[in-house]
Amino acid sequence: QNQPSQMTVDRVKALERIAGFDSNATALDVKWNQNFEKLKSFYEEYGHSRVPLRYSKQPELGRWVNRQRAQYKKVNKDGGEGKVSCSPSLTLEHIGKLESIGFEWEVGRGRGVRSINKEGSPHE
């Protein structure tokens, strides 16, 4: 605590040579990307991004997906195309990544699948 960092410029450069390491990434970025990878795995397994809020296999994933939708509604509440602003927890880059896997920003009645069980499988 309150000691000088042992992280030298050479150490940072060495870490940056490691694939995927970003010295500018914040802890929030790292956590967001971890959750996105979990969502991609869910999508590959079930073919959709409608993770149940109380998903039994990974409860935190359902809550995270729900937060992404809530943040999107906040930053896009005017409904205008191209007027999406950035939020600390949902950036334009995040929106693009989510949309790249077919993320559904609105779910509920009349959206195809009536319900999703806690395991993630649809009930018609």
Side-chain angles (χ1 to χ4, degrees), residues 10 64 73 78 88 99 104:
D10 290 336
W64 181 80
K73 285 179 187 175
D78 63 23
E99 289 179 346
E104 297 174 55

Side-chain angles (χ1 to χ4, degrees), residues 3-4 12 29 51-52 59 61 73 86-87 91-92 104 106 113 116:
Q3 295 180 352
V12 170
D29 291 330
V51 181
L61 181 60
K73 285 179 187 175
C86 291
S87 153
T91 66
L92 292 174
E104 297 174 55
E106 294 196 28
V113 177
I116 308 291

Side-chain angles (χ1 to χ4, degrees), residues 42 46 52 54-58 116-121 123:
F42 180 94
Y46 296 107
R54 292 176 181 87
Y55 180 44
S56 62
K57 291 181 184 176
Q58 296 180 47
I116 308 291
N117 67 21
K118 290 180 183 180
E119 286 72 43
S121 301
H123 289 286

Side-chain angles (χ1 to χ4, degrees), residues 51 53 60-72 103 107:
V51 181
L53 183 57
E60 70 285 349
L61 181 60
R63 291 188 299 270
W64 181 80
V65 166
N66 191 54
R67 278 194 309 277
Q68 302 317 295
R69 290 190 178 106
Q71 283 295 317
Y72 185 79
F103 189 77
V107 293

Side-chain angles (χ1 to χ4, degrees), residues 2-61:
N2 295 338
Q3 295 180 352
S5 173
Q6 298 296 314
M7 187 60 68
T8 65
V9 173
D10 290 336
R11 286 182 180 177
V12 170
K13 286 180 182 178
L15 285 170
E16 287 175 342
R17 286 191 293 270
I18 298 171
F21 182 83
D22 179 0
S23 63
N24 295 318
T26 65
L28 286 175
D29 291 330
V30 172
K31 185 69 174 167
W32 193 94
N33 285 316
Q34 288 171 342
N35 283 315
F36 178 70
E37 291 301 319
K38 290 176 187 177
L39 177 61
K40 278 179 30 180
S41 295
F42 180 94
Y43 183 85
E44 289 167 7
E45 183 173 349
Y46 296 107
H48 64 81
S49 60
R50 296 179 306 272
V51 181
L53 183 57
R54 292 176 181 87
Y55 180 44
S56 62
K57 291 181 184 176
Q58 296 180 47
E60 70 285 349
L61 181 60

